[in-house]
Amino acid sequence: MADYGHVGALQIALMVIGLAIFVIVPVVIALIWKIKKKEPITTILIGAGAFLLFVFILEKPIQNVLAFPTAMGLPDHALSLFLAANPVLLSLVAGLFPGVFEETGRLVAYKTLLKKRTQRETSISYGIGHGGIEVVFILGLSFLNYIIYALMINTGTFGAVVEQVAAQAPEQLSQVDAIVTMLTTFSIGTLAINVLERVFAVMFHVGASILVFYACKDKKKFWLYPLAIVLHTAMDFVGALSIFGVISISDWGLEAIVAIMGISVFFLSYFLLYKKDKAKTI
């Protein structure tokens, strides 16, 4: 059986710290916000639920069927082959889907379950729920998998995973190699870039939640909803360009782009919309 190296105790410890951060911190932030602002916890939970519904139940399956059918065990078709041959267009599709579905999820939640909650704090409560559950499901579960894979590598059982991938999806073997390399070289820098990426992503989600909240609250500002879609699509589009090899950019360079967009969207929406809305109705 192939030798996949050894994951050191420091690497595993850093992964455990990361898992704790990505699971505990979002919960703590949500509780602090709820207590400090006396916000209904249900608003935060609705934000989390809307994310799960519109991303995992609606967006991902539709996107995979149209653009990545092999991810669902389906054969490629004309559209997926066309997109694969045009990586810029594929990157745009990869960015457009989360932009449309996540921002529409906010819109639907504000228009239905949160229709009577017109106080400005609702926008941030929703954003905390939406961004927080994304942290738990994307980074939390990822780091849990990292720990499991690391332990499997150290106990010599990781080969079974590789054999399964080779049998079911041989085109993904390169990704397995990349995971092994990442695990055996996991560092404080790796953890830091993951933490920072999520901080800026959550800032973006809170900012976008403010935009769509005021798009629903004031008919004259409904244009903020398509603006949120465009901004969300643009941020994910740049990331997809890097993933699909259209542009070559370092992890820290990509992080800088996410930081600029996340900080800009948050502070502009916060100061131009949220801070100017002084009234709070219960």
Side-chain angles (χ1 to χ4, degrees):
M1 186 166 293
D3 181 13
Y4 296 99
H6 180 81
V7 183
L10 175 60
Q11 282 75 38
I12 294 177
L14 289 172
M15 294 175 206
V16 172
I17 292 172
L19 175 61
I21 290 173
F22 297 131
V23 172
I24 296 173
V25 171
V27 175
V28 171
I29 290 174
L31 291 176
I32 291 174
W33 174 259
K34 177 208 173 341
I35 294 171
K36 183 177 180 180
K37 295 295 183 178
K38 296 181 173 58
E39 274 285 282
I41 193 67
T42 49
T43 305
I44 297 173
L45 295 177
I46 288 170
F51 172 82
L52 296 177
L53 171 62
F54 279 84
V55 172
F56 290 107
I57 297 178
L58 298 176
E59 176 204 333
K60 294 303 181 184
I62 296 173
Q63 184 185 51
N64 285 338
V65 168
L66 295 178
F68 311 105
T70 57
M72 301 184 70
L74 301 173
D76 275 312
H77 46 71
L79 178 59
S80 65
L81 291 173
F82 174 75
L83 291 173
N86 296 272
V88 174
L89 184 58
L90 180 62
S91 299
L92 179 59
V93 170
L96 184 62
F97 266 82
V100 170
F101 278 87
E102 290 187 45
E103 302 314 318
T104 300
R106 300 183 215 273
L107 182 77
V108 171
Y110 288 141
K111 287 288 190 179
T112 56
L113 297 176
L114 300 175
K115 186 176 182 179
K116 295 182 179 181
R117 298 182 187 178
T118 58
Q119 65 271 21
R120 64 180 185 174
E121 286 77 8
T122 296
S123 62
I124 292 183
S125 296
Y126 181 99
I128 290 173
H130 182 121
I133 200 66
E134 184 182 52
V135 171
V136 173
F137 267 77
I138 293 181
L139 271 298
L141 291 181
S142 293
F143 270 64
L144 178 60
N145 285 330
Y146 293 162
I147 295 169
I148 293 172
Y149 289 153
L151 295 176
M152 292 179 71
I153 289 173
N154 289 351
T155 56
T157 57
F158 189 72
V161 174
V162 178
E163 291 175 0
Q164 184 177 7
V165 173
Q168 298 181 357
E171 71 279 358
Q172 296 181 10
L173 282 174
S174 61
Q175 298 178 24
V176 174
D177 292 337
I179 290 175
V180 171
T181 300
M182 185 271 293
L183 294 177
T184 55
T185 61
F186 199 92
S187 65
I188 293 178
T190 307
L191 176 59
I193 199 168
N194 277 276
V195 171
L196 288 174
E197 191 273 337
R198 278 301 102 189
V199 169
F200 298 131
V202 170
M203 290 182 71
F204 177 88
H205 282 307
V206 173
S209 297
I210 294 173
L211 291 177
V212 180
F213 174 78
Y214 285 98
C216 296
K217 188 173 182 179
D218 186 348
K219 293 181 179 179
K220 294 180 180 179
K221 295 178 180 177
F222 188 76
W223 59 272
L224 292 170
Y225 163 61
L227 175 63
I229 292 177
V230 170
L231 292 172
H232 199 147
T233 299
M235 187 168 69
D236 285 1
F237 175 56
V238 174
L241 287 174
S242 176
I243 291 173
F244 298 129
V246 179
I247 60 175
S248 179
I249 185 171
S250 68
D251 289 341
W252 286 106
L254 189 59
E255 189 58 45
I257 294 173
V258 174
I260 291 171
M261 294 202 66
I263 292 172
S264 298
V265 171
F266 174 77
F267 280 106
L268 287 174
S269 61
Y270 181 82
F271 285 107
L272 296 180
L273 295 168
Y274 183 88
K275 287 291 286 184
K276 291 184 177 181
D277 184 5
K278 299 296 184 182
K280 177 170 181 176
T281 57
I282 303 295

